[in-house]
Amino acid sequence: MFLKHLNILYFKNIEERQFDFAKKIVAFVGLNGVGKTNILDAIYYLAMTKSYFSSSDVQNIQQGKEFFVLQGKFEKNGQWLDVNCSVKRSEGKNVSFNQKAYTRISEHIGKIPIVFIAPQDSFLITDYADTRRKFLDALISKFDRDYLNALIQYYHALQNRNNIIKQGEVAYQQQDLIDVYNSQMAQTGELILNKRRQFFDEIKDVLKTTYSQLQDNQENLELVYTSTIQKDFFKELQHSLPKDIRMGYTTIGVHRDDFDILLNQYPAKNFASQGQQKTIIFAIKWVELFYLYSKTNIHPILLIDDIYDRLDEKRLSRMKTFLMNDIVGQVFVTDNHPKRIQDLFADVDIEIIELFSGLKNSNFSSSTYAGRDGKMGIGSKNTP
């Protein structure tokens, strides 16, 4: 999967930008605040119809504007794919694929396989279970339509059940209705649980090998799934009702499950250094990319924000080997220093786009960097 053209209008701090890409690896460089991360987020938005960082679509509209528009032209196995995403304050979100609008935006998920790695991903290790569940659900939903539909139905039933439970003791008078929602949650939850367990079982060896190659040692990285469901989900929901009414929410189910990230059988959040945590995140995201490719046979796009964040030169060199792997379709990275990117990719044909202060299309330069001699070959330049 290759992104050939990107058009951004009124997205976050970007007023207007257009880019054409021709290389496997593209680097956006420049000082903080020039829009590097937001460009990656725009690419992610075209694939997932939402921001990687913001839960509100409207918050992505540039201040003082009424809408934003993102347009991308992708190439997949000789086919051209046109994606258009727009959000208006007064009308909401619209997504079209090859000039045809979706009736259900969720139908777009999975058509553009993509993986994002950002400094904030350390929360996957250190944060609460909700962060890890969202990551897991987003990952599996990218290639499994049944899983995505089950999630939608499950959370709809969960919301209805919680609405009754919040009424307190009066909820006992609606036991029959609660059992209807229990049945819906049990049916969809069983599918979700089985597919999650299957995922962890299938990626176990790849994760171990990937982390070992990145660290160049015998440290062992494991992901261990833990569920609140013991055996019979429907009966356990029935038995948990008194506790749920006291608490005001449903206390068991796949919406409460988690997975542990263990380094040498110890919790990574307590024992891993910052460098190890960054390597763990890359290993997990690489497994995500590998898994997407194995399920879709489409080479995913990889986005890496602030590639030098908390990594030493040895880890970066090992990471670069992964970036050149044939299963990766295209890689977009960001960094503050052009020279540092040139040095890292000295032996790689890479496109470097330097961004400057100012948010319009006139404030960037694009250069193709190639060769071991460290020389810069200028492809195009358009600066104020």
Side-chain angles (χ1 to χ4, degrees), residues 214 282 304 307 311 315-323:
L214 286 167
F282 184 86
I304 307 178
I307 190 171
L311 288 178
R315 285 192 175 99
L316 275 168
S317 178
R318 297 186 192 113
M319 180 192 294
K320 189 180 75 171
T321 302
F322 281 84
L323 303 187

Side-chain angles (χ1 to χ4, degrees), residues 5 9 115 118 120 126 148 172 199 226 256 285 289 300 342:
H5 176 76
L9 182 66
V115 175
Q120 296 90 326
T126 61
L148 177 59
Y172 288 112
F199 166 76
T226 56
R256 303 283 295 173
K285 293 301 186 82
L289 188 147
Q342 294 168 21

